[in-house]
Amino acid sequence: DAKTTQPNSMESNEEEPVHLPCNHSTISGTDYIHWYRQLPSQGPEYVIHGLTSNVNNRMASLAIAEDRKSSTLILHRATLRDAAVYYCIASYSGGGADGLTFGKGTHLIIQP
Amino acid sequence: DAGITQSPRHKVTETGTPVTLRCHQTENHRYMYWYRQDPGHGLRLIHYSYGVKDTDKGEVSDGYSVSRSKTEDFLLTLESATSSQTSVYFCAISESEGGTVNTEAFFGQGTRLTVV
């Protein structure tokens, strides 16, 4: 898996959009960008993943830079329940023999 | 939610004793994983399984063994627990096969193990 770099923590206000950045300058052409989040005292949960094009789902949007060296996870309207550690992972597979390589992630704090 | 159950959820054990953690899934997924999570670290892969009786080592496998005799169960054993194995252990499952990327991993709730 390619190395990823994320800010240690970020703070945002409830009901405002949140943009979580991730740098992955050594990503290979076949690596997907996966985002997981971990709520307090829970296991990680899948958020979104993509390869080149921007992706949307019910939880979030993923914006991928044209050169793929960075990406941004967008929470359109943060709620208190979105307070979690967010992990960005650059990996060929979401599972398989390699599993997932987690860094330290970004601790997202949501202020009411 | 994906059907993954870890047991026990909490355990305190003494140094030198054997400990077995169980992961049970009802999703019939092919891949199963054991991770550990320590303060200041992300999750680190201990062992994984790609089928019944098919297992392999991950990044931090020393001191751990695993077994998978049925699709639904993946056991993690600490043969002789040490204080350095105090951690939160997570089981995960996925359906991904080699080269298949359109999948996601599902994680259990974790087992908090304390070795005293």
Side-chain angles (χ1 to χ4, degrees):
Chain A
D1 297 354
K3 178 177 170 57
T4 60
T5 304
Q6 300 177 250
N8 289 333
S9 65
M10 290 183 64
E11 197 167 314
S12 184
N13 295 320
E14 195 176 12
E15 299 186 1
E16 292 185 354
V18 179
H19 291 235
L20 296 166
C22 180
N23 287 318
H24 29 77
S25 59
T26 62
I27 194 169
S28 73
T30 56
D31 283 342
Y32 280 67
I33 300 152
H34 308 260
W35 283 83
Y36 282 75
R37 72 180 187 180
Q38 187 173 21
L39 280 65
S41 301
Q42 294 190 28
E45 66 174 344
Y46 169 84
V47 177
I48 200 166
H49 77 279
L51 184 62
T52 55
S53 303
N54 294 345
V55 184
N56 301 296
N57 66 20
R58 64 174 180 81
M59 289 182 70
S61 295
L62 176 60
I64 302 171
E66 194 170 337
D67 63 6
R68 295 198 350 110
K69 294 185 184 301
S70 66
S71 61
T72 302
L73 179 71
I74 302 165
L75 307 179
H76 295 286
R77 193 163 171 268
T79 69
L80 296 177
R81 292 178 63 245
D82 291 320
V85 178
Y86 287 78
Y87 299 98
C88 167
I89 302 167
S91 172
Y92 176 61
S93 172
D98 295 330
L100 291 166
T101 301
F102 287 81
K104 296 182 181 179
T106 296
H107 183 200
L108 177 63
I109 300 165
I110 304 296
Q111 297 289 356
Chain B
D1 291 344
I4 308 173
T5 305
Q6 291 186 229
S7 59
R9 293 292 314 279
H10 302 271
K11 185 170 182 66
V12 179
T13 192
E14 292 185 351
T15 299
T17 60
V19 177
T20 296
L21 309 183
R22 180 184 184 230
C23 178
H24 178 78
Q25 62 148 327
T26 58
E27 305 296 323
N28 201 36
H29 279 15
R30 177 182 177 189
Y31 283 87
M32 297 186 76
Y33 311 84
W34 278 107
Y35 292 85
R36 62 177 288 174
Q37 185 172 34
D38 304 295
H41 293 272
L43 280 77
R44 293 180 290 175
L45 184 64
I46 305 171
H47 280 279
Y48 65 93
S49 169
Y50 47 97
V52 174
K53 299 190 188 304
D54 292 324
T55 66
D56 209 341
K57 297 178 180 180
E59 178 190 359
V60 291
S61 59
D62 286 349
Y64 302 94
S65 62
V66 291
S67 66
R68 192 171 178 194
S69 59
K70 299 184 289 185
T71 298
E72 58 266 33
D73 288 327
F74 192 33
L75 304 181
L76 176 71
T77 298
L78 291 66
E79 300 291 346
S80 178
T82 68
S83 58
S84 65
Q85 294 176 311
T86 292
S87 187
V88 180
Y89 291 85
F90 289 99
C91 173
I93 63 174
S94 79
E95 187 59 22
S96 177
E97 300 183 11
T100 301
V101 298
N102 290 320
T103 186
E104 61 187 269
F106 300 93
F107 287 79
Q109 293 288 76
T111 294
R112 183 173 296 275
L113 176 67
T114 303
V115 183
V116 298

mmCIF file of all heavy atoms in Angstrom, chain A residues 2 8 23 32 38 45 48-49 61-62 77 81 107:
data_model
loop_
_atom_site.group_PDB
_atom_site.id
_atom_site.type_symbol
_atom_site.label_atom_id
_atom_site.label_comp_id
_atom_site.label_asym_id
_atom_site.label_seq_id
_atom_site.Cartn_x
_atom_site.Cartn_y
_atom_site.Cartn_z
ATOM 1 N N ALA A 2 0.399 2.270 -0.697
ATOM 2 C CA ALA A 2 1.143 3.524 -0.718
ATOM 3 C C ALA A 2 0.986 4.254 0.608
ATOM 4 O O ALA A 2 -0.051 4.175 1.263
ATOM 5 C CB ALA A 2 0.641 4.402 -1.861
ATOM 6 N N ASN A 8 -3.444 15.291 11.807
ATOM 7 C CA ASN A 8 -3.763 14.535 13.015
ATOM 8 C C ASN A 8 -5.192 14.783 13.476
ATOM 9 O O ASN A 8 -5.879 13.863 13.928
ATOM 10 C CB ASN A 8 -2.799 14.904 14.146
ATOM 11 C CG ASN A 8 -1.413 14.374 13.895
ATOM 12 O OD1 ASN A 8 -1.233 13.376 13.214
ATOM 13 N ND2 ASN A 8 -0.415 15.049 14.430
ATOM 14 N N ASN A 23 -2.954 13.037 1.464
ATOM 15 C CA ASN A 23 -1.910 13.034 0.447
ATOM 16 C C ASN A 23 -1.387 11.622 0.248
ATOM 17 O O ASN A 23 -1.136 10.898 1.232
ATOM 18 C CB ASN A 23 -0.757 13.956 0.842
ATOM 19 C CG ASN A 23 -1.137 15.413 0.707
ATOM 20 O OD1 ASN A 23 -1.777 15.798 -0.257
ATOM 21 N ND2 ASN A 23 -0.761 16.226 1.673
ATOM 22 N N TYR A 32 -6.446 1.903 -5.402
ATOM 23 C CA TYR A 32 -7.676 2.621 -5.104
ATOM 24 C C TYR A 32 -7.465 3.456 -3.833
ATOM 25 O O TYR A 32 -6.570 3.192 -3.047
ATOM 26 C CB TYR A 32 -8.830 1.648 -4.868
ATOM 27 C CG TYR A 32 -9.445 1.100 -6.131
ATOM 28 C CD1 TYR A 32 -8.730 0.259 -6.972
ATOM 29 C CD2 TYR A 32 -10.747 1.422 -6.486
ATOM 30 C CE1 TYR A 32 -9.287 -0.240 -8.132
ATOM 31 C CE2 TYR A 32 -11.324 0.917 -7.641
ATOM 32 C CZ TYR A 32 -10.583 0.104 -8.461
ATOM 33 O OH TYR A 32 -11.144 -0.383 -9.605
ATOM 34 N N GLN A 38 -13.717 5.368 12.188
ATOM 35 C CA GLN A 38 -13.864 4.586 13.414
ATOM 36 C C GLN A 38 -14.464 5.491 14.488
ATOM 37 O O GLN A 38 -13.817 6.431 14.965
ATOM 38 C CB GLN A 38 -12.511 4.038 13.873
ATOM 39 C CG GLN A 38 -12.599 3.093 15.043
ATOM 40 C CD GLN A 38 -11.264 2.444 15.360
ATOM 41 O OE1 GLN A 38 -10.203 2.929 14.989
ATOM 42 N NE2 GLN A 38 -11.315 1.317 16.077
ATOM 43 N N GLU A 45 -15.478 1.399 10.021
ATOM 44 C CA GLU A 45 -16.539 1.148 9.057
ATOM 45 C C GLU A 45 -16.189 1.825 7.737
ATOM 46 O O GLU A 45 -15.581 2.896 7.703
ATOM 47 C CB GLU A 45 -17.908 1.632 9.562
ATOM 48 C CG GLU A 45 -18.027 3.119 9.726
ATOM 49 C CD GLU A 45 -19.450 3.558 10.081
ATOM 50 O OE1 GLU A 45 -20.395 2.775 9.914
ATOM 51 O OE2 GLU A 45 -19.589 4.718 10.525
ATOM 52 N N ILE A 48 -16.151 5.096 1.783
ATOM 53 C CA ILE A 48 -16.206 5.286 0.338
ATOM 54 C C ILE A 48 -14.871 4.869 -0.267
ATOM 55 O O ILE A 48 -13.865 4.785 0.444
ATOM 56 C CB ILE A 48 -16.520 6.767 0.020
ATOM 57 C CG1 ILE A 48 -17.060 6.956 -1.397
ATOM 58 C CG2 ILE A 48 -15.293 7.639 0.267
ATOM 59 C CD1 ILE A 48 -17.688 8.338 -1.602
ATOM 60 N N HIS A 49 -14.851 4.570 -1.556
ATOM 61 C CA HIS A 49 -13.581 4.352 -2.227
ATOM 62 C C HIS A 49 -13.704 4.746 -3.697
ATOM 63 O O HIS A 49 -14.819 4.809 -4.237
ATOM 64 C CB HIS A 49 -13.089 2.906 -2.092
ATOM 65 C CG HIS A 49 -13.773 1.915 -2.983
ATOM 66 N ND1 HIS A 49 -14.996 1.358 -2.687
ATOM 67 C CD2 HIS A 49 -13.390 1.371 -4.167
ATOM 68 C CE1 HIS A 49 -15.334 0.497 -3.640
ATOM 69 N NE2 HIS A 49 -14.404 0.503 -4.556
ATOM 70 N N SER A 61 -18.745 12.197 -0.097
ATOM 71 C CA SER A 61 -18.213 12.302 -1.460
ATOM 72 C C SER A 61 -16.700 12.205 -1.386
ATOM 73 O O SER A 61 -16.087 12.603 -0.388
ATOM 74 C CB SER A 61 -18.606 13.631 -2.100
ATOM 75 O OG SER A 61 -19.998 13.710 -2.273
ATOM 76 N N LEU A 62 -16.125 11.695 -2.439
ATOM 77 C CA LEU A 62 -14.679 11.579 -2.541
ATOM 78 C C LEU A 62 -14.232 12.331 -3.781
ATOM 79 O O LEU A 62 -14.671 12.008 -4.890
ATOM 80 C CB LEU A 62 -14.263 10.105 -2.644
ATOM 81 C CG LEU A 62 -12.772 9.827 -2.862
ATOM 82 C CD1 LEU A 62 -11.942 10.400 -1.718
ATOM 83 C CD2 LEU A 62 -12.539 8.306 -2.988
ATOM 84 N N ARG A 77 -22.720 17.717 5.331
ATOM 85 C CA ARG A 77 -23.377 18.401 6.444
ATOM 86 C C ARG A 77 -23.093 17.601 7.708
ATOM 87 O O ARG A 77 -23.781 16.636 8.003
ATOM 88 C CB ARG A 77 -24.863 18.496 6.167
ATOM 89 C CG ARG A 77 -25.631 19.429 7.050
ATOM 90 C CD ARG A 77 -26.995 19.756 6.426
ATOM 91 N NE ARG A 77 -27.832 20.477 7.370
ATOM 92 C CZ ARG A 77 -28.693 19.896 8.195
ATOM 93 N NH1 ARG A 77 -28.849 18.608 8.186
ATOM 94 N NH2 ARG A 77 -29.428 20.639 9.022
ATOM 95 N N ARG A 81 -22.708 12.848 15.148
ATOM 96 C CA ARG A 81 -22.422 11.424 14.977
ATOM 97 C C ARG A 81 -21.268 11.181 14.002
ATOM 98 O O ARG A 81 -20.806 10.045 13.867
ATOM 99 C CB ARG A 81 -23.674 10.707 14.494
ATOM 100 C CG ARG A 81 -24.780 10.658 15.545
ATOM 101 C CD ARG A 81 -26.030 9.980 15.033
ATOM 102 N NE ARG A 81 -25.786 8.583 14.691
ATOM 103 C CZ ARG A 81 -25.867 8.075 13.473
ATOM 104 N NH1 ARG A 81 -26.174 8.849 12.443
ATOM 105 N NH2 ARG A 81 -25.652 6.805 13.261
ATOM 106 N N HIS A 107 -8.425 12.728 13.413
ATOM 107 C CA HIS A 107 -9.455 12.775 14.449
ATOM 108 C C HIS A 107 -10.347 13.976 14.172
ATOM 109 O O HIS A 107 -9.908 15.122 14.294
ATOM 110 C CB HIS A 107 -8.798 12.874 15.821
ATOM 111 C CG HIS A 107 -9.774 12.850 16.946
ATOM 112 N ND1 HIS A 107 -9.467 13.312 18.212
ATOM 113 C CD2 HIS A 107 -11.062 12.417 17.012
ATOM 114 C CE1 HIS A 107 -10.528 13.168 18.995
ATOM 115 N NE2 HIS A 107 -11.495 12.632 18.289
#
